[in-house]
Amino acid sequence: MTSNLNPQVDDQMLLISQLYPSLYAQVVPVVEGETRPRRRRKKNKGESTNVGARKRKLSAEQVSLLEMNFGSEHKLESERKDRLASELGLDPRQVAVWFQNRRARWKNKKLEEEYSKLKTAHESVVVEKCRLETEVLLFPSLSYLLQLTIQFVDSFDSDLSFLNSPH
């Protein structure tokens, strides 16, 4: 790889690699031929080792029995898993995966409910804060108006007292 930025450095690198070819090959291995991009491992779709292992949708009866069992206990013990699998005609691993997925959905639902409660509480606190801020801002004005009202009433009382006094 040569660059036009600094030809002197390229010449030095070439010279080093020519002077010490065995050392240079250990530090920077020389790859002969083309480099191929890494290939991804293909799934075994056509092999006969996993016959019938394709994903099947559970029947309504199976789901209702699984839901009923999930309602009583969210965790699945080995004996219970084997018993449920035999009752439903499923592989124990399939029952375990169903319970794991159901627990994840249950946890998400609980988090959403908790978030909703917290959001509602937060909104009510924000409204109360705004109300209190308004009250604090209005307090000096209200205080001043109250003082004026008291002065007015006092002055009015003194005017009325003059009417009530005998001449």
Side-chain angles (χ1 to χ4, degrees):
M1 177 166 112
T2 60
S3 66
N4 295 333
L5 297 176
N6 195 345
Q8 184 180 11
V9 172
D10 287 340
D11 290 342
Q12 288 175 355
M13 290 301 289
L14 233 169
L15 185 61
I16 292 171
S17 65
Q18 290 172 346
L19 286 175
Y20 306 102
S22 61
L23 181 63
Y24 189 77
Q26 289 174 1
V27 175
V28 181
V30 178
V31 179
E32 295 184 18
E34 295 181 8
T35 58
R36 293 179 290 161
R38 296 180 71 180
R39 293 187 301 174
R40 287 188 173 178
R41 177 184 264 176
K42 292 183 180 180
K43 293 183 180 179
N44 299 334
K45 292 181 181 178
E47 290 188 11
S48 60
T49 57
N50 293 332
V51 174
R54 62 186 173 91
K55 186 174 178 178
R56 293 185 206 156
K57 188 172 182 179
L58 299 175
S59 69
E61 296 85 24
Q62 289 172 325
V63 171
S64 69
L65 184 61
L66 287 167
E67 286 287 350
M68 187 175 69
N69 277 279
F70 183 81
S72 64
E73 183 65 39
H74 298 313
K75 292 288 181 176
L76 190 61
E77 296 168 3
S78 182
E79 297 164 0
R80 189 165 154 233
K81 173 178 63 175
D82 293 338
R83 181 181 51 79
L84 273 171
S86 65
E87 285 179 24
L88 296 169
L90 298 172
D91 184 53
R93 181 72 188 133
Q94 197 173 0
V95 173
V97 167
W98 186 91
F99 263 79
Q100 185 178 1
N101 291 339
R102 184 62 177 87
R103 274 194 305 274
R105 288 194 311 271
W106 175 75
K107 183 180 176 184
N108 283 339
K109 184 179 178 188
K110 295 298 262 182
L111 285 172
E112 287 174 2
E113 290 171 357
E114 184 67 22
Y115 172 77
S116 178
K117 288 177 189 175
L118 288 172
K119 185 177 178 186
T120 302
H122 176 264
E123 288 170 354
S124 66
V125 166
V126 167
V127 167
E128 179 67 10
K129 177 183 174 262
C130 289
R131 187 190 66 77
L132 290 172
E133 285 175 343
T134 304
E135 189 175 308
V136 166
L137 289 174
L138 290 177
F139 183 75
S141 302
L142 291 176
S143 176
Y144 179 71
L145 286 175
L146 182 62
Q147 287 174 351
L148 287 177
T149 304
I150 290 171
Q151 289 174 357
F152 177 74
V153 168
D154 285 346
S155 69
F156 189 71
D157 279 345
S158 66
D159 289 346
L160 287 179
S161 64
F162 135 77
L163 291 176
N164 287 338
S165 65
H167 288 274

